[in-house]
């Protein structure tokens, strides 16, 4: 049976196609419409998915009527009625259950606690599940308006960023702030033990203090600190009520790479699907209907540009110019560029950061991430686990050697690569290592400012015209 998973009418619409447990396609609507965080799917992405098979059934990532009832009761913006692209039977699964299935059924675990934390589903905002064999059972739930995600998003908005979209920028700003300055104020908005009474969906309406530019960084630091403390408490509770040592973490909160690292102090093994937010829930809904583990190989599941990874050209380009852009093969499913739609650069050059920032036209304070050969990761970064999808931020151990991929607080959001995960990128790193003694490159997303990752051939031409640089493909 071929299942078409659909997520839309929230931020980050997406489409997935699975057949008997194999993932045929998984992609983001925004990469086709070019509207960042697009709420809706479009005919281009659906047609691209249908190149890989003809579905028998649609699986939808939430319960529209349940969500509508919450919107009637509490307000909020959302189009409740999905506009499904094909005349097929439809099955609906709850929002948090789709998250849980996206995580557990793509994991290697057959025994785990599954924690889902996001802004809001229909009503659920924080859930704890147990996965045993092929069964997933709910153990704990917290409902709207108590919400980790809404807390973080409300402060994102308070400091002038776009909620549900620019939380990652606030997380980056935290490294430049003094968390102690506003800790007390922020902590009062999210009291201990989840007895949060405040409805963050309406934003922070009673802050009452003028916010200077420096305040924004200090507020970001306080929010990150409070979030990490509450997350730590919640995860310890999840472990104690389930007795499980393996964690599957899903929902938009699982994109907070600084906080994720702390979870290795609590659990012996962790799986965060590389697309843990709502965009991953088209795959989650499909997996929920399949009802068993699916065959997860890698996140290169979207639009296919074809081609062979241009290993030597990349290495030569970096050694000569310091920077190359590469777009090849299937697009990444998830928010990070992991080698197939990437700008790669020499991390040894302290000026390369400015050069990449110039190309990307983005804020100077934003950090750039390193990609490192997995077998060398622990010599360069303080980590004893893999991070193939850039999900953990750790201390850099040799910052003087790779200054362009180290954040203001001495940390880096690391991507580790093995031969099996991405053979082309692995070979690039190996060749660069043999030439320079450094098994690390800077890896950042290939996109025009304010737009999604490049997707198809037209995007490549537009990018080259816009920036005047070539893309290796
Ligand atoms: Fe969600």
């Amino acid at each position: 049976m071929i299942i078409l998973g659909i997520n839309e009418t929230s931020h980050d619409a997406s489409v997935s196609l699975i057949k008997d447990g194999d993932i045929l396609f998984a992609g983001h609507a925004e990469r086709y419409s070019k509207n960042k965080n697009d709420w809706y799917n479009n005919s281009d992405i659906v047609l691209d998915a249908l190149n890989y098979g003809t579905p028998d059934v649609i699986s939808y990532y939430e319960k529209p009527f349940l969500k509508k009832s919450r919107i009637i009761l509490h307000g909020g913006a959302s189009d409740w009625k999905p506009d499904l692209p094909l005349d097929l039977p439809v099955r609906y699964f709850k929002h948090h259950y789709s998250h849980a299935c996206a995580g557990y059924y793509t994991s290697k675990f057959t025994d785990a606690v599954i924690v889902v934390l996001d802004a809001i589903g229909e009503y659920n905002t924080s859930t704890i599940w147990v996965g045993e064999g092929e069964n997933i059972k709910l153990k704990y739930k917290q409902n709207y308006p108590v919400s980790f995600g809404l807390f973080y998003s409300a402060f994102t908005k308070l400091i002038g960023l776009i909620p549900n979209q620019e939380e990652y920028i606030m997380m980056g700003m935290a490294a430049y702030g003094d968390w102690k300055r506003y800790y007390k104020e922020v902590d009062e908005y999210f009291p201990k033990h989840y007895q949060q009474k405040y409805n963050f969906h309406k934003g922070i309406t009673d802050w009452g203090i003028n916010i200077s530019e420096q305040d924004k960084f200090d507020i970001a630091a306080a929010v990150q600190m409070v979030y990490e403390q509450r997350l730590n408490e919640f995860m310890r509770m999840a472990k104690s009520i389930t007795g499980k040592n393996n964690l599957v973490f899903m929902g938009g909160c699982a994109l907070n790479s600084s906080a994720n690292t702390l979870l290795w102090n609590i659990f012996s093994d962790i799986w965060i699907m590389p697309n843990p937010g709502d965009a991953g829930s088209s795959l989650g809904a499909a997996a929920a209907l399949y009802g068993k583990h699916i065959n997860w190989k890698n996140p290169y599941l979207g639009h296919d540009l074809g081609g062979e990874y241009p290993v030597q050209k990349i290495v030569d380009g970096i050694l000569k110019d310091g920077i190359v852009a590469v777009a090849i093969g299937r697009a990444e499913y998830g928010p990070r560029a992991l080698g197939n739609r990437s700008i790669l650069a020499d991390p040894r050059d302290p000026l390369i950061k400015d050069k990449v920032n110039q190309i990307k036209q983005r804020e100077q304070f934003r950090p750039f991430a390193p990609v490192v050969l997995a077998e060398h990761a622990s010599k360069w970064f303080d980590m004893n686990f893999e991070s193939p999808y850039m999900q953990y931020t750790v201390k850099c151990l040799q910052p003087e050697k790779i200054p362009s991929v180290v954040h203001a607080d001495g940390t880096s959001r690391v991507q580790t690569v093995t031969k099996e995960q991405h053979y082309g990128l692995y070979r690039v790193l190996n060749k660069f290592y043999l030439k320079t003694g450094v098994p690390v490159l800077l890896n950042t997303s290939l996109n025009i400012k304010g737009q999604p990752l490049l997707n198809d051939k037209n995007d490549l031409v537009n990018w080259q015209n816009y920036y005047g640089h070539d893309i290796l493909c």
Side-chain angles (χ1 to χ4, degrees):
M1 184 169 68
I2 299 185
I3 304 168
L4 183 71
I6 296 279
N7 145 55
E8 64 179 9
T9 76
S10 161
H11 46 89
D12 300 317
S14 70
V15 167
S16 296
L17 196 69
I18 69 170
K19 181 184 182 184
D20 304 329
D22 285 330
I23 308 168
L24 305 178
F25 175 91
H28 297 249
E30 64 170 22
R31 314 259 170 97
Y32 295 79
S33 68
K34 319 306 174 196
N35 296 325
K36 213 164 176 213
N37 302 101
D38 203 336
W39 283 34
Y40 301 98
N41 285 303
N42 53 68
S43 55
D44 288 343
I45 187 174
V46 175
L47 288 172
D48 206 0
L50 296 187
N51 285 326
Y52 294 87
T54 306
D56 303 295
V57 58
I58 289 173
S59 190
Y60 192 71
Y61 84 120
E62 58 183 18
K63 302 256 186 183
F65 287 96
L66 196 59
K67 183 169 172 180
K68 179 69 177 171
S69 72
R70 187 252 303 163
I71 291 166
I72 288 170
L73 285 170
H74 300 284
S78 179
D79 184 351
W80 67 284
K81 191 175 179 302
D83 181 17
L84 298 171
L86 300 166
D87 188 17
L88 289 171
V90 184
R91 294 281 306 276
Y92 297 90
F93 293 91
K94 278 192 175 176
H95 187 110
H96 269 228
Y97 186 64
S98 294
H99 275 310
C101 292
Y104 184 65
Y105 288 143
T106 56
S107 78
K108 65 183 179 187
F109 302 139
T110 50
D111 185 54
V113 54
I114 308 158
V115 173
V116 180
L117 299 175
D118 63 4
I120 185 169
E122 296 89 354
Y123 283 89
N124 296 161
T125 61
S126 317
T127 51
I128 298 170
W129 313 70
V130 158
E132 287 172 347
E134 301 300 350
N135 296 315
I136 296 176
K137 274 195 193 138
L138 181 67
K139 290 290 175 188
Y140 172 92
K141 66 179 179 193
Q142 180 65 260
N143 279 350
Y144 181 89
V146 179
S147 165
F148 281 81
L150 288 176
F151 162 77
Y152 210 90
S153 294
F155 278 99
T156 302
K157 190 175 171 196
L158 181 75
I159 64 166
L161 299 170
I162 305 170
N164 285 329
Q165 196 169 317
E166 294 187 331
E167 282 72 9
Y168 69 101
I169 297 180
M170 185 164 78
M171 190 183 75
M173 290 169 69
Y176 292 88
D178 173 5
W179 65 267
K180 295 183 200 80
R181 252 190 93 211
Y182 286 113
Y183 178 82
K184 193 167 162 289
E185 286 84 352
V186 172
D187 191 50
E188 276 173 14
Y189 283 90
F190 199 165
K192 284 182 180 172
H193 310 305
Y194 335 110
Q195 298 305 309
Q196 173 192 342
K197 298 286 188 280
Y198 200 85
N199 188 342
F200 290 102
H201 220 171
K202 299 183 168 80
I204 308 287
T205 54
D206 57 351
W207 182 251
I209 310 168
N210 284 337
I211 299 171
S212 69
E213 280 307 303
Q214 183 56 44
D215 288 342
K216 291 179 182 177
F217 292 92
D218 294 340
I219 291 169
V223 171
Q224 182 67 23
M225 178 57 75
V226 171
Y227 170 78
E228 287 179 6
Q229 289 175 345
R230 297 293 94 78
L231 180 72
N232 188 51
E233 291 161 11
F234 193 87
M235 287 293 184
R236 287 187 188 281
M237 177 182 76
K239 184 175 180 175
S240 79
I241 64 176
T242 63
K244 304 293 185 193
N245 283 314
N246 298 322
L247 169 70
V248 174
F249 186 22
M250 293 294 291
C253 294
L255 289 164
N256 193 314
S257 56
S258 302
N260 289 347
T261 309
L262 307 171
L263 305 177
W264 287 101
N265 298 328
I266 305 173
F267 296 96
S268 53
D269 206 352
I270 300 172
W271 169 250
I272 302 173
M273 202 269 269
N275 204 358
D278 284 4
S281 287
S282 61
L283 185 61
L289 181 55
Y290 185 60
K292 287 181 276 193
H293 281 76
I294 57 176
N295 188 11
W296 176 267
K297 288 180 184 157
N298 60 55
Y300 308 102
L301 297 164
H303 182 74
D304 194 356
L305 283 168
E308 285 283 310
Y309 211 68
V311 174
Q312 197 59 48
K313 280 191 206 167
I314 293 173
V315 177
D316 292 345
I318 295 172
L319 290 173
K320 181 169 166 280
D321 302 322
I323 305 175
V324 299
V326 57
I328 200 146
R330 297 192 72 172
E332 290 87 347
Y333 182 52
R336 310 276 178 243
L338 298 170
N340 282 11
R341 302 290 189 276
S342 284
I343 291 173
L344 300 170
D346 187 339
R348 299 171 303 162
D349 178 359
L351 299 177
I352 210 78
K353 205 172 156 177
D354 293 340
K355 289 183 197 161
V356 179
N357 267 325
Q358 220 171 8
I359 294 175
K360 297 195 57 143
Q361 299 173 8
R362 60 177 222 170
E363 302 87 343
Q364 289 299 318
F365 62 82
R366 301 257 308 275
F368 284 112
V371 54
V372 57
L373 287 173
E375 59 264 38
H376 291 273
S378 61
K379 287 182 222 124
W380 291 79
F381 304 98
D382 184 16
M383 61 196 297
N384 54 7
F385 49 84
E386 284 195 6
S387 177
Y389 313 120
M390 267 187 205
Q391 292 167 318
Y392 303 99
T393 299
V394 295
K395 189 167 179 280
C396 181
L397 300 175
Q398 305 191 54
E400 68 290 349
K401 289 191 182 161
I402 46 173
S404 70
V405 290
V406 185
H407 201 14
D409 59 359
T411 64
S412 306
R413 192 186 65 207
V414 177
Q415 176 191 1
T416 54
V417 177
T418 64
K419 231 182 252 182
E420 293 72 29
Q421 284 155 355
H422 196 311
Y423 187 51
L425 189 54
Y426 179 85
R427 287 178 60 215
V428 167
L429 285 159
N430 237 328
K431 281 175 179 276
F432 186 76
Y433 174 54
L434 290 174
K435 288 270 183 194
T436 66
V438 175
V440 183
L441 288 171
L442 179 155
N443 179 11
T444 187
S445 56
L446 180 60
N447 62 305
I448 290 174
K449 185 177 164 58
Q451 290 189 17
L453 277 181
L454 301 198
N455 199 45
D456 54 37
K457 288 234 154 66
N458 274 343
D459 296 341
L460 270 57
V461 173
N462 290 340
W463 194 90
Q464 287 172 152
N465 290 341
Y466 191 86
Y467 290 117
H469 293 266
D470 286 337
I471 296 176
L472 301 178
C473 53

